[in-house]
């Protein structure tokens, strides 16, 4: 069976103006242990000739590409067909949680149906978005020095004002904690259920990006 007919993709990347979807190629002769990975083969590619900078997220069935000038496009992982478009520019990568896609645009958080792209709810961030991260099935959004949390239904859960700017892109969630990088080179750990700060630590330098897991 040709890789382009595969139902899902093992890896997705953006390169040279293309979205590339690849499948893992394994050695079927490995029977007693897990198949040995032999490399990747191209499943499909799609040109994304947008005028702005792009970022990407992947759900189980869609590749989501955000453009700082045009908006967010969702492509089916199975056959690369365009599933839907959200015509509002975003400088942050979309966030997938449950059956929703969260997008920060125009100082707001937009919750979209992952399958159709239809809007479910919109909430004000209080300023230009600095970071966006999934919180279980809900979402965390940062603007200025304030981190806000909403449930999957858009109900406000809590907000915390750090009284200093949250650094762009420096919010990540793992194990019930949200890790927040602040402009004064402080790393803070926030309880995602309550919004309480568990601990803070000063760093020698501020990371440009980080991930938790």
């Amino acid at each position: 069976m040709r890789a382009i007919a595969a139902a899902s993709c093992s890896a997705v990347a953006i390169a040279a103006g293309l979205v590339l979807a690849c499948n893992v190629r394994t050695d079927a002769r490995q029977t007693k242990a897990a198949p040995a990975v032999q490399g990747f083969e191209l499943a499909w590619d799609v040109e994304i000739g947008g005028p702005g900078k792009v970022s990407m997220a992947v759900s189980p069935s869609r590749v989501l590409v955000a453009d700082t000038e045009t908006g967010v496009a969702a492509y089916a992982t199975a056959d690369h067909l365009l599933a839907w478009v959200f015509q509002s520019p975003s400088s942050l990568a979309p966030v997938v949680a449950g059956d929703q896609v969260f997008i920060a645009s125009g100082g707001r958080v937009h919750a979209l149906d992952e399958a159709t792209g239809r809007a479910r709810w919109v909430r004000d961030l209080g300023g230009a978005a600095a970071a966006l991260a999934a919180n279980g099935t809900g979402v965390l959004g940062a603007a200025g020095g304030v981190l806000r949390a909403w449930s999957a239904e858009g109900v406000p859960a809590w907000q915390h004002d750090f009284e200093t700017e949250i650094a762009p892109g420096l919010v990540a969630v793992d194990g019930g904690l949200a890790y927040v990088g602040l402009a004064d080179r402080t790393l803070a750990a926030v309880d995602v259920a309550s919004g309480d700060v568990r601990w803070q630590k000063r760093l020698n330098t501020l990371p440009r990006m980080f991930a938790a897991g």
Side-chain angles (χ1 to χ4, degrees), residues 146-150 156-161 194-195:
V146 180
L147 183 66
R148 293 175 170 85
W150 294 271
W158 51 262
Q159 69 178 52
H160 183 86
D161 190 348
S194 66

Side-chain angles (χ1 to χ4, degrees), residues 36-87:
V37 175
Q38 299 297 307
F40 289 92
E41 55 188 10
L42 182 67
W44 50 261
D45 59 57
V46 172
E47 185 173 357
I48 49 169
K53 295 181 180 179
V54 297
S55 56
M56 183 180 64
V58 180
S59 76
S61 55
R62 265 159 278 278
V63 180
L64 308 158
V65 181
D67 188 290
T68 57
E69 300 293 332
T70 60
V72 180
Y75 300 91
T77 55
D79 53 19
H80 80 274
L81 295 180
L82 183 64
W84 50 263
V85 175
F86 178 71
Q87 294 181 327

Side-chain angles (χ1 to χ4, degrees), residues 114-193:
E114 190 270 344
T116 66
R118 295 193 183 110
R120 292 188 177 177
W121 51 262
V122 181
R123 297 292 182 267
D124 192 0
L125 262 173
L132 198 65
N135 170 18
T137 57
V139 66
L140 302 176
V146 180
L147 183 66
R148 293 175 170 85
W150 294 271
S151 71
E153 294 76 27
V155 177
W158 51 262
Q159 69 178 52
H160 183 86
D161 190 348
F162 288 96
E163 299 182 354
T164 189
E165 295 285 308
I166 297 172
L170 294 192
V171 176
V173 177
D174 180 62
L177 292 178
Y179 299 93
V180 183
L182 305 176
D184 64 358
R185 303 196 309 276
T186 298
L187 177 64
V190 179
D191 188 299
V192 295

